[in-house]
Amino acid sequence: MMMGHITFIKNAIFRFTVSFLVILVVDSRVPLPAEDLKDKGFELQIDHVIDGDTARLSDGRTARYLGIDTPEVRRKGRNGWEYAPEPFAEAATELNEELVGGKTVFVVPDEKVTDKYGRVLLYVFVGDVFVNEEIVLRGLARVTVFPPNIEYLDVLLRAQEVAREERRGIWGVCANIDVREAHGHVGEVCSVTGEVKGIKETRSEVVMEIKGNGVDVFNVTIFKGNLRFFEAEKKGRLSEYLGKKICVTGKVTEEKGIPGMVLYHPYQIRDELRHKLMVYNILHTTSCHCCS
């Protein structure tokens, strides 16, 4: 009987500890920028929301949220753009509307302030909510990395790992597939497994050629601007993956009939040791660099 009580108490303590850590992570959202960042930011008025990561400003410009990518609401067809929402695209748009629709927001730009489409690139805050992070934390966006805009990268990655661990939103339906199945999942966020058979380089990117059990090929692309993240990792140098079986996670694309995926950061290459270390670091990190 005594042993039973001890076991019950130990299990209760374990459950409480795990619950506390989860609450700690989920509630460690980023407050408004620290004083040293406030002089970089300013207020803007949102006119209306376009989709999960884009909004029209009252001055007519379009704002694109930095560091995240939500499922697409529209796609380009033969007769132009048509409404064809990907899974969770509408949910992401609704959340964005709930957070910023018609509101005055505080925004912080990064080093590169506009993209090739002329959209202003911003980190967006409403009250004490960091909008970019909140959308990721709800599982309605993936983290994307386009240097030199990496001011809040660590914050967004922590939010994404929480969403992945709890299988929220897009991560709840993320399929684990082999290379030969990739054609049937174009446009979806998936984890694709295969063996790295070759690495080729162009002027702007590095491509890892991954093969499955058959002759199917899956191209994993890394833009050269993002190579710094991979080369900085002790086990992240791309040449070390040659001949090894890896699992990559992201949005499956297709080019010239060949499926593939763009990797922005080593977090997208699933490695059990790296995964465990990342989860450990998340559960033991309660502060963020932007607020220190």
Side-chain angles (χ1 to χ4, degrees):
M1 180 69 72
M2 181 63 70
M3 287 299 294
H5 283 301
I6 293 174
T7 301
F8 173 79
I9 292 171
K10 283 183 177 179
N11 289 337
I13 292 173
F14 175 76
R15 286 195 298 272
F16 171 79
T17 303
V18 171
S19 299
F20 173 75
L21 288 173
V22 170
I23 291 170
L24 187 64
V25 172
V26 172
D27 289 347
S28 62
R29 292 175 170 85
V30 182
L32 276 170
E35 291 301 324
D36 63 333
L37 281 180
K38 281 190 176 181
D39 60 355
K40 299 180 183 179
F42 45 89
E43 289 188 341
L44 288 174
Q45 178 70 32
I46 301 293
D47 183 75
H48 66 273
V49 161
I50 296 174
D51 56 28
D53 53 29
T54 317
R56 186 83 69 197
L57 303 174
S58 59
D59 60 12
R61 292 180 298 169
T62 299
R64 175 66 165 81
Y65 301 171
L66 276 166
I68 71 172
D69 184 37
T70 59
E72 300 297 336
V73 173
R74 297 171 182 81
R75 67 180 178 186
K76 199 167 187 178
R78 292 182 178 179
N79 300 315
W81 290 97
E82 54 189 36
Y83 185 73
E86 295 175 348
F88 295 98
E90 293 175 322
T93 303
E94 290 170 6
L95 175 59
N96 195 18
E97 174 66 34
E98 176 188 328
L99 293 171
V100 308
K103 297 179 182 178
T104 298
V105 298
F106 186 86
V107 301
V108 177
D110 211 322
E111 290 189 43
K112 185 178 180 181
V113 296
T114 59
D115 64 10
K116 63 182 180 181
Y117 305 109
R119 301 176 298 185
V120 288
L121 305 174
L122 300 169
Y123 300 108
V124 182
F125 297 82
V126 178
D128 60 355
V129 176
F130 179 18
V131 174
N132 308 51
E133 179 197 29
E134 187 68 23
I135 296 171
V136 173
L137 198 56
R138 301 278 190 99
L140 298 176
R142 298 175 298 119
V143 175
T144 55
V145 188
F146 292 101
N149 294 345
I150 58 173
E151 182 68 47
Y152 289 91
L153 176 59
D154 58 342
V155 175
L156 297 174
L157 286 176
R158 287 204 302 271
Q160 179 170 267
E161 195 59 27
V162 171
R164 283 184 67 169
E165 286 299 303
E166 298 192 2
R167 297 188 63 78
R168 299 176 183 175
I170 59 177
W171 305 112
V173 295
C174 179
N176 295 297
I177 62 175
D178 183 79
V179 169
R180 65 180 183 275
E181 303 172 85
H183 281 290
H185 293 270
V186 173
E188 299 177 20
V189 174
C190 298
S191 293
V192 183
T193 301
E195 184 178 336
V196 179
K197 293 293 188 179
I199 298 177
K200 54 187 178 182
E201 185 176 345
T202 68
R203 194 166 62 179
S204 61
E205 60 193 31
V206 174
V207 179
M208 290 195 293
E209 187 180 78
I210 297 178
K211 291 189 177 181
N213 296 327
V215 296
D216 302 271
V217 175
F218 188 86
N219 286 334
V220 174
T221 301
I222 301 170
F223 300 124
K224 285 194 172 177
N226 294 59
L227 279 177
R228 69 173 87 171
F229 302 113
F230 295 86
E231 294 170 351
E233 290 214 343
K234 187 176 181 181
K235 288 192 175 182
R237 290 180 172 80
L238 300 182
S239 59
E240 296 186 12
Y241 292 119
L242 270 172
K244 294 182 179 177
K245 194 173 185 180
I246 65 171
C247 179
V248 293
T249 299
K251 188 174 182 178
V252 178
T253 59
E254 190 172 52
E255 185 175 354
K256 296 180 180 179
I258 300 176
M261 181 182 296
V262 175
L263 300 189
Y264 299 96
H265 193 274
Y267 79 80
Q268 290 178 268
I269 301 179
R270 206 65 166 180
D271 176 291
E272 282 307 308
L273 177 58
R274 179 183 291 122
H275 174 58
K276 289 175 181 176
L277 286 173
M278 181 179 285
V279 173
Y280 177 86
N281 288 333
I282 289 169
L283 293 177
H284 290 77
T285 304
T286 58
S287 62
C288 64
H289 81 289
C290 59
C291 304
S292 56

